[in-house]
Amino acid sequence: SSGINAEYGACYPYDGREDKSTAPGYSKSPDDAVFRYLASSYAKAHPTMWKGERICDGDQFTGGISNGAEWYPLYGGMGDWNYLHCGTLEITVEMGCTKYPKEDQLLRMYRDHYWPLITHISNSRQGFSGVVVCLYVC
């Protein structure tokens, strides 16, 4: 799952810190390696996001990704809530510098994010799948 906001990079949980601090700082989740992989895969499939160039308000994401709390702590966000309560793995894709881009920017944004989104969707198909069968009376 992905959320979309106004900035430039792929962010992953946790967005809040355990000590409830408002100061930026890395907040590692139990699935940190998986989140970093998902965010990196998205950023690397994008034509420029992976470069981590500073394009919006001075923020810079190394490799095009950031831990949410390391960028800025946020409490009560959907990504953390869905991860903690539903077990879903969500990254937030920061697609640009404006929350509501102008119409003439949409085609370029679509083209820039098409393959990263396809990559993200294909990543959701990785792992184990099957049917659990109980051979004994359960």
Side-chain angles (χ1 to χ4, degrees):
S1 173
S2 294
I4 299 171
N5 289 315
E7 200 35 270
Y8 200 68
C11 298
Y12 54 92
Y14 287 130
D15 291 331
R17 294 180 48 191
E18 192 173 352
D19 63 4
K20 303 291 186 205
S21 172
T22 57
Y26 200 93
S27 186
K28 186 176 181 177
S29 73
D31 292 304
D32 193 67
V34 175
F35 281 120
R36 291 180 60 82
Y37 172 76
L38 293 171
S40 291
S41 295
Y42 192 99
K44 288 175 183 175
H46 189 277
T48 58
M49 187 182 290
W50 61 273
K51 295 177 182 178
E53 295 173 345
R54 185 171 285 152
I55 66 164
C56 304
D57 298 329
D59 290 325
Q60 184 172 7
F61 296 166
T62 303
I65 69 170
S66 177
N67 173 260
E70 190 172 40
W71 180 29
Y72 70 88
L74 169 71
Y75 298 94
M78 286 293 295
D80 285 3
W81 192 91
N82 284 331
Y83 177 58
L84 293 170
H85 298 284
C86 303
T88 59
L89 305 179
E90 294 190 14
I91 63 170
T92 300
V93 177
E94 308 288 354
M95 294 181 70
C97 298
T98 57
K99 189 142 186 113
Y100 304 105
K102 294 184 179 353
E103 184 178 354
D104 63 351
Q105 298 173 311
L106 296 178
L107 184 58
R108 181 191 51 80
M109 289 178 75
Y110 169 80
R111 288 180 178 150
D112 286 351
H113 291 274
Y114 178 82
W115 285 113
L117 185 56
I118 296 298
T119 300
H120 190 62
I121 291 168
S122 67
N123 281 337
S124 73
R125 304 295 300 157
Q126 293 181 13
F128 297 101
S129 65
V131 178
V132 177
V133 178
C134 183
L135 298 176
Y136 305 100
V137 177
C138 297

